[in-house]
Amino acid sequence: RGPLHFPPGFGWGAATSAYQIEGAAKEDGRGESVWDTFSHTPGRTRNGDTGDVAADHYHRYRDDLDLMADLGLRSYRFSISWPRIQADGAGKPNQRGLDFYRRLVDGLRERNIAPMATLFHWDLPQALQDAGGWESRDTAYRFAEYADAVFRALGDQVPVWLTINEPKTVVQNGYLWGHHAPGRQDPAAAYLVAHHLQLAHGLAVQALRATGGAGRIGPAFNLHPCYPADDSAEAAAATRLYDGYENRLYLDSVLKGSYPEDVLADLGPDSRMVSGIRDGDLDVIASPVDLLAVQYYTPYYVTASGDTTRRWPTSEADWQQIHPEGMYDILTRITRDYGRIPITVTENGLPCPDTLGADGTVDDSGRIDFLRDHFAAAHRAIADGVPLESYHVWSLLDNFEWAEGYDQRWGLIYVDYPTQRRVLKRSAHWYRTVIRDNGC
Ligand code: FCB
């Protein structure tokens, strides 16, 4: 394998999200989110971990900015906490919340790092959950108002906006399986939630255009290449429908203005989702976007009966099979099926059993191998015509991994939680050279 050179100006980055790193859960007027409620409910997270303190980034963001500059990041993807901006999810924005993100964005720009802001990374204000959450159509309109307030405050300083992080994870983990907030197991509700999340996305796109903001905007989807587990006709058919639920439900509605027929038929005309779609909704959802954010972690292998099976070694996250080829497959598939919309990879990464060695280093060579293989797959996709403009490693630093708490470490930077000391892992030093050389 020869050296990989990426296109000039390629946006090497790293990603985080508000609830996973900020802490300061009760400061400066922040309200409660569904993740405060969920993580404080006994039995919901590993070790009962919560995001109350997390990586204390709310207080240490200046040091974290310096670490980003030290790595040479060109792009930093973070999320804005809705309950910091509107404690109860409605009404006049909280200036102290906006000010925090203004300081963060200014700090990025001073260091020549492009800010990429996600509007919603799962921390729905609890007051909105109490009023029905994403099952309620009204939440989509509340989201558009929140987005509008953020665009007015920061729109001149943020070149790229992402609307909703992984709507599918809210649908599946939050409403089908119940191991994420709000912890429901209600398939009928789940797909209505999917529709309202898509609607919220479209309304936010329209809100940005209405403010005349110069920034670009798009959705952030976790996409899963789906392969048949064997070569039977039944497995092929099951894989097709599985792909509908995993990928086309989200991609088609935003990029083609329609939900996939096979998924709608499978849900049935009387389902809460299908009967919840109103005239004009798909036009809103398909409001033109500027780019598509893709998060890739794992493929699925679908059996004739519609279950999934494994083919590759898994990581410390039992849901993740390591298959770099899947990155190539999903990126090229988007360009093939949806045209040459610009793409940013907003998440890809690996949890490792990282420990701080006696010599003060963290040896995560497995993460380096993983990233190198995935960068190579992305590079091949670019060579084959995919307009990929940037790539954000998940994550900048170790953080609160939702139901897994702090046990799973995904960062390039190690966080020693008792002291909040940061230590660059081997992968961070390696990533610095990748960025410097624009390849590896
Ligand atoms: C994604 C989430 C992100 C992080 C990674 C490991 O699904 O968007 O917050 O938890 O998985």
Side-chain angles (χ1 to χ4, degrees), residues 195-274:
H195 178 59
H196 291 155
L197 286 162
Q198 294 298 85
L199 185 65
H201 154 81
L203 291 167
V205 172
Q206 295 190 343
L208 179 69
R209 308 299 186 212
T211 61
R216 300 155 76 215
I217 191 165
F221 294 151
N222 53 329
L223 300 175
H224 291 81
C226 299
Y227 310 102
D230 58 56
D231 43 20
S232 67
E234 292 78 10
T239 303
R240 172 85 188 148
L241 182 61
Y242 212 89
D243 175 72
Y245 278 104
E246 292 294 328
N247 303 314
R248 285 179 285 118
L249 184 63
Y250 305 93
L251 290 165
D252 283 13
S253 48
V254 170
L255 299 174
K256 293 186 170 169
S258 56
Y259 282 120
E261 287 300 333
D262 54 344
V263 173
L264 293 184
D266 190 62
L267 289 167
D270 300 327
S271 61
R272 285 185 71 193
M273 177 194 176
V274 176

Side-chain angles (χ1 to χ4, degrees), residues 16-17 20 77 121-122 165-166 169 173 180 222 295 297 317 319 347 349 351 394-395 399-402 408 410:
T16 62
S17 91
Q20 294 179 274
R77 173 188 181 230
H121 202 123
W122 306 348
N165 178 70
E166 299 191 354
T169 305
N173 292 18
H180 277 189
N222 53 329
Q295 320 200 149
Y297 288 97
W319 50 266
E347 287 185 27
W394 184 272
S395 176
N399 60 54
F400 175 75
E401 176 50 24
W402 308 113
Q408 271 182 21
W410 289 80

Side-chain angles (χ1 to χ4, degrees), residues 323-343:
H323 184 49
E325 227 15 63
M327 174 70 91
Y328 175 84
D329 289 346
I330 201 70
L331 292 174
T332 50
R333 183 257 179 109
I334 292 163
T335 302
R336 195 168 54 241
D337 290 355
Y338 299 93
R340 286 182 52 83
I341 178 164
I343 300 176

Side-chain angles (χ1 to χ4, degrees), residues 165-187:
N165 178 70
E166 299 191 354
K168 182 171 70 186
T169 305
V170 178
V171 171
Q172 296 182 344
N173 292 18
Y175 282 85
L176 276 182
W177 308 321
H179 53 250
H180 277 189
R184 298 274 302 282
Q185 286 176 283
D186 183 344

